Amino acid sequence: MEEILLRLPVRCLVRFKCVCKSWLSLISDPQFAKSHYDLAFALTHRLILCCETNSIDIEAPLNDDSTELTLHFPNPSPAHIQEYVPINVVGSCRGFLLLNTELFDIIYFIIWNPSTGLKKRFSKPLCLKFSYLCGIGYDSSTDDYVVVLLSGKEIHCFSSRSNSWSCTTSTVLYSPMGGYFDHGFLLNGALHWLVQSHDFNVKIIVFDVMERRLSEIPLPRQLKENRLYHLRVLGGCLCLSLCFSTGYPKLWIMKEYKVQSSWTVLFGFSTFLDGPNDFAPICSTKNGEILAYDCENKILMRLSDKGKRLEQRRTRCNHIFMHSESLISLSSNEEEQQ
């Protein structure tokens, strides 16, 4: 029975908690949740359309309303604050979304699992002298979900297990580039951002969540460092696309992690009629198709592995996240039920 349940979608398992006490106990077991997540074929991957507050299945047609779910985001700021503040999705990790807002120089966060409704709310008092980068990662050595905030040369880390912040200092000052670039993308236990260094060159920086160490990853040798790019993770590899004002967009994949010579052109648009000028990849599907975003015209696209446009959907979102449904809870017992 357990082997069968492990292969069912999260939404079914949430309903099946009501079948009987033994199923409730089994499906609520943290070890069952981790085993379910580790069976990749049981996962449902969804796109979070932030400004539309809904999500769609990445394997389904883009305009299939039957797979669309409405999300009711919890408010990161304290309940006693009546003033409306915008809620931002700033990270995704193993079934959790990281939400935040800023009010009176205080950054409020929520680590939230949309599938179970469980959430953890916390804040970070910070005088905002600099813009900041943020993201959420997972430390497998301690079963800890870690929120990372880079501001100036300071690296702030919040441990969901200990419910506390720590701070270290970087030797180099990195600046956010705005838009997609402020949000860290998780790969190989580390968060990755596109930033500008002190010499105004574009860099990829990587923060190892387990070792709490910051380093750089080189761009392809053929690319100029002062250009503007989009960074994502596709099929377990780092991916870059160039935002062109002239020329033809290309999609680069780093096939071997941290090896500069392994950067390879996956495909390129031969003319502007084939593709957008400002092209941001989002994720890949099980059959190798690519979901991407035309940032200039606000069009969500499905592309073949050769770059051919298969379908599209208009949206008003500036931020779109890939999210995996899961039953996982935080190790801390201070979660709230939504």
Side-chain angles (χ1 to χ4, degrees), residues 239-258:
C239 174
L240 275 174
S241 65
L242 180 58
C243 308
F244 278 96
S245 56
T246 59
Y248 304 134
K250 291 182 179 180
L251 196 65
W252 292 76
I253 292 287
M254 187 179 230
K255 292 188 173 182
E256 190 174 349
Y257 188 59
K258 290 189 175 181

Side-chain angles (χ1 to χ4, degrees), residues 179-329:
Y180 280 92
F181 309 104
D182 294 350
H183 310 143
F185 297 103
L186 189 64
L187 177 65
N188 295 338
L191 288 164
H192 301 74
W193 295 271
L194 271 177
V195 297
Q196 275 190 331
S197 59
H198 63 282
D199 55 2
F200 302 105
N201 283 325
V202 177
K203 304 285 186 182
I204 299 176
I205 59 171
V206 51
F207 182 78
D208 189 298
V209 176
M210 185 184 303
E211 297 181 0
R212 301 291 201 273
R213 184 171 58 87
L214 192 66
S215 59
E216 293 184 4
I217 289 181
L219 295 174
R221 291 190 181 94
Q222 300 92 325
L223 301 184
K224 296 181 179 179
E225 290 186 340
N226 60 353
R227 293 278 185 92
L228 187 61
Y229 305 91
H230 288 298
L231 175 69
R232 281 286 184 171
V233 174
L234 288 183
C237 298
L238 286 178
C239 174
L240 275 174
S241 65
L242 180 58
C243 308
F244 278 96
S245 56
T246 59
Y248 304 134
K250 291 182 179 180
L251 196 65
W252 292 76
I253 292 287
M254 187 179 230
K255 292 188 173 182
E256 190 174 349
Y257 188 59
K258 290 189 175 181
V259 177
Q260 186 178 30
S261 60
S262 71
W263 281 110
T264 305
V265 176
L266 185 61
F267 61 76
F269 294 108
S270 60
T271 69
F272 284 129
L273 296 177
D274 292 337
N277 299 353
D278 192 353
F279 169 78
I282 300 174
C283 64
S284 57
T285 64
K286 292 179 181 178
N287 63 3
E289 294 172 348
I290 295 172
L291 294 180
Y293 191 53
D294 180 346
C295 308
E296 183 178 356
N297 299 304
K298 292 186 169 31
I299 297 176
L300 182 62
M301 304 175 292
R302 186 185 301 273
L303 307 173
S304 72
D305 58 356
K306 303 299 183 183
K308 180 181 178 181
R309 191 181 308 209
L310 304 176
E311 61 173 329
Q312 66 181 41
R313 166 181 174 157
R314 289 198 172 274
T315 175
R316 53 191 175 85
C317 291
N318 288 322
H319 295 96
I320 300 175
F321 275 84
M322 203 276 281
H323 167 69
S324 302
E325 293 184 337
S326 84
L327 295 165
I328 296 176
S329 298

